[in-house]
């Protein structure tokens, strides 16, 4: 497990291209969202967390900003597995391999 995944903050790693399928999650993310890794991996992060009050236009804007910027912060309403809404302080950045590729 990478050092980042041992972080006490909720972390989810997705593919770098749409539909941004989950590659890995850490235990704090499981505790926050309610999805176990076997339920989340391979699913679109939007399908897992978006719901009625999620501002989908704002979420798309975050994605477009990530195409131009190295780091993006946003606050979104997301949903847990059991349907409870929560304010998500999203911090997103691309991850790179040692050779510089994504």
């Amino acid at each position: 497990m990478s050092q980042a995944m041992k972080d006490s903050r909720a972390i989810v790693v997705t593919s770098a291209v749409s539909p941004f399928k989950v590659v890995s999650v850490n235990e704090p993310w499981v505790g926050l969202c309610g999805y176990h890794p076997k339920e989340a991996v391979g699913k679109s992060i939007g399908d897992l967390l978006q719901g009625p009050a999620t501002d989908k236009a704002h979420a798309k804007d975050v994605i477009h900003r990530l195409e131009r910027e190295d780091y993006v912060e946003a606050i979104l309403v997301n949903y847990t597995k059991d349907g409870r809404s929560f304010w998500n302080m999203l911090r997103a950045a691309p991850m790179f391999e040692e050779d510089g590729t994504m």
Side-chain angles (χ1 to χ4, degrees):
M1 178 184 295
S2 74
Q3 193 62 26
M5 296 309 281
K6 294 178 185 175
D7 198 296
S8 62
R9 295 170 292 181
I11 296 175
V12 58
V13 177
T14 70
S15 61
V17 295
S18 185
F20 307 103
K21 293 191 177 197
V22 174
V23 174
S24 182
V25 299
N26 70 354
E27 284 302 315
W29 189 88
V30 172
L32 173 66
C33 299
Y35 292 98
H36 291 277
K38 288 183 180 180
E39 296 173 296
V41 171
K43 303 262 176 57
S44 162
I45 193 68
D47 289 345
L48 290 174
L49 299 182
Q50 291 183 0
T54 302
D55 183 340
K56 291 179 176 66
H58 186 52
K60 285 181 182 179
D61 178 59
V62 170
I63 292 165
H64 293 300
R65 286 176 40 212
L66 268 174
E67 293 171 349
R68 300 182 315 269
E69 302 171 25
D70 290 335
Y71 177 80
V72 174
E73 286 188 2
I75 298 175
L76 297 169
V77 174
N78 282 149
Y79 290 82
T80 63
K81 179 181 173 179
D82 66 4
R84 179 183 52 84
S85 66
F86 66 97
W87 287 99
N88 187 2
M89 174 58 174
L90 172 70
R91 294 179 178 125
M95 293 176 62
F96 297 93
E97 299 291 338
E98 290 180 23
D99 67 2
T101 61
M102 276 208 271

